[in-house]
C-alpha cells in the first residue's frame, strides 16, 4: 500500500494561513490524494481531494507537486474550529478502493 | 455531501454480551461500506470492507467470528461485536462510498464501553 508521511503536530495562530504538508513518494498513477480531518469524538470529515491539478473548495486548497510525490493542504484563514487531526490519504478507486489512515497531523490553533 | 448515520452513538454493555452497531447511508446508495476502530489518541484502523450482498473482507488480525458484518442492503450495514470483552472497548466508525462519489463519507462513530 502506498503510504503517506505527515508531521505529528503543527500550531497556527487564528486567522493566519496554515500549510499542512504530506509526503507520498510511492504514489501510483491511479492514486487520488484525499484529505480528511477529525475533531475529537467525531467521525472523519472530508476536506478535499485531487489527482494532479491543484484544487480549491470552500474549506481549503490542495496544492499537488508536479511529480505528485508530495502535497500541501492550505487553510487560508485558520479558525479555532479548524483545530483537528488532519489526515492525508492515498486512495485508488480502481484497486481496493479502501482508505487507510496514517497518524495524521494534529493542528492546534491559538487565539 | 452525502450523510452517513450510526446507531447507537454510545453503548455500555457487560462483558460477554453482544452489541450491534448500525451504519446507514441516508441519501445515497452505498455499494461499499467500511468499518474502522479507533483507540484513544490513535488513528483509525480499517477492520473490514463490505460490499452489498456479499461477505465482508476482513483485515489481517481482525476475527471475523467476533466482529460479524452484514451488508444486506445498499443503505445499511451492521457490525456485531460478539461476546464483548473490555479490550473491545473502542470508538467504532463506519464509512460508505458509491460509484457516484470519489470520496468516502464517514459516520459520527459509536463509542463502545465494555464493563
Amino acid at each position: 500500500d502506498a503510504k503517506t508521511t505527515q508531521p505529528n503536530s503543527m500550531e497556527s495562530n487564528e486567522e493566519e494561513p496554515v500549510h499542512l504538508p504530506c509526503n507520498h513518494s510511492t504514489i501510483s498513477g491511479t492514486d487520488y490524494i484525499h484529505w480528511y480531518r477529525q475533531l475529537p469524538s467525531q467521525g472523519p470529515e472530508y476536506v478535499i481531494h485531487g489527482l494532479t491539478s491543484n484544487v480549491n473548495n470552500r474549506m481549503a486548497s490542495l496544492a499537488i507537486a508536479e511529480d505528485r510525490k508530495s502535497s500541501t493542504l492550505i487553510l487560508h484563514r485558520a479558525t479555532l474550529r479548524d483545530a483537528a487531526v488532519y489526515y492525508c490519504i492515498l486512495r485508488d478507486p480502481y484497486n481496493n478502493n479502501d482508505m487507510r489512515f496514517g497518524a495524521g497531523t494534529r493542528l492546534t490553533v491559538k487565539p | 455531501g452525502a450523510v452517513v448515520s450510526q446507531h447507537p452513538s454510545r453503548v455500555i454493555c457487560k462483558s460477554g454480551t453482544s452489541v450491534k452497531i448500525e451504519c446507514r447511508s441516508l441519501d445515497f446508495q452505498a455499494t461499499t461500506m467500511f468499518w474502522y476502530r479507533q483507540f484513544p489518541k490513535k488513528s483509525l484502523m480499517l477492520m473490514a470492507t463490505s460490499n452489498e450482498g456479499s461477505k465482508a473482507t476482513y483485515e489481517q488480525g481482525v476475527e471475523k467470528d467476533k466482529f460479524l458484518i452484514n451488508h444486506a442492503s445498499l443503505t445499511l450495514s451492521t457490525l456485531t461485536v460478539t461476546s464483548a470483552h473490555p479490550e473491545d472497548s473502542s470508538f467504532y466508525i463506519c464509512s460508505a462510498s458509491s460509484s457516484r462519489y470519489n470520496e468516502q463519507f464517514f459516520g459520527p462513530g459509536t463509542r463502545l464501553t465494555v464493563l
Side-chain angles (χ1 to χ4, degrees):
Chain A
D1 291 337
K3 290 191 164 102
T4 63
T5 305
Q6 299 176 253
N8 289 335
S9 62
M10 290 185 66
E11 279 190 358
S12 170
N13 294 316
E14 197 175 9
E15 299 197 2
E16 288 186 357
V18 182
H19 290 232
L20 297 164
C22 181
N23 287 321
H24 27 79
S25 59
T26 58
I27 191 170
S28 74
T30 50
D31 281 326
Y32 281 76
I33 302 160
H34 288 252
W35 282 81
Y36 283 77
R37 71 181 185 183
Q38 186 181 26
L39 278 66
S41 297
Q42 295 186 27
E45 174 189 26
Y46 167 80
V47 178
I48 202 166
H49 78 277
L51 183 62
T52 56
S53 303
N54 295 344
V55 185
N56 299 296
N57 67 18
R58 290 182 301 115
M59 290 181 71
S61 296
L62 176 60
I64 302 173
E66 198 168 327
D67 63 3
R68 299 210 326 127
K69 293 187 176 182
S70 65
S71 61
T72 302
L73 179 70
I74 303 165
L75 306 179
H76 296 286
R77 287 182 64 205
T79 69
L80 297 178
R81 287 174 295 181
D82 291 323
V85 178
Y86 286 78
Y87 297 99
C88 167
I89 305 163
L90 301 181
R91 182 172 181 229
D92 184 350
Y94 305 105
N95 183 22
N96 288 337
N97 204 25
D98 57 25
M99 198 169 284
R100 295 167 192 273
F101 287 72
T105 296
R106 183 173 298 277
L107 175 66
T108 302
V109 180
K110 296 182 288 184
Chain B
V3 179
V4 175
S5 70
Q6 279 185 243
H7 178 79
S9 58
R10 187 182 296 266
V11 57
I12 301 172
C13 69
K14 292 183 179 179
S15 186
T17 60
S18 294
V19 174
K20 180 185 283 189
I21 301 169
E22 292 186 351
C23 176
R24 293 181 185 272
S25 58
L26 298 184
D27 49 3
F28 71 104
Q29 293 186 324
T31 50
T32 307
M33 285 186 170
F34 304 87
W35 286 95
Y36 295 82
R37 180 167 53 181
Q38 185 175 32
F39 292 108
K41 304 292 185 185
K42 299 293 185 181
S43 185
L44 283 76
M45 184 185 76
L46 180 64
M47 299 175 67
T49 302
S50 75
N51 292 299
E52 186 265 338
S54 61
K55 288 185 179 180
T57 301
Y58 290 81
E59 294 298 304
Q60 194 171 9
V62 178
E63 300 175 57
K64 63 179 180 180
D65 294 330
K66 180 166 185 62
F67 299 100
L68 302 178
I69 292 172
N70 184 284
H71 190 169
S73 79
L74 286 172
T75 59
L76 173 65
S77 176
T78 60
L79 167 68
T80 301
V81 183
T82 62
S83 186
H85 291 283
E87 56 264 31
D88 298 323
S89 298
S90 188
F91 193 47
Y92 291 87
I93 305 169
C94 73
S95 71
S97 70
S98 73
S99 57
R100 178 180 174 187
Y101 299 104
N102 197 345
E103 62 265 34
Q104 284 186 22
F105 297 97
F106 286 81
T110 296
R111 185 161 304 282
L112 170 64
T113 303
V114 184
L115 302 176

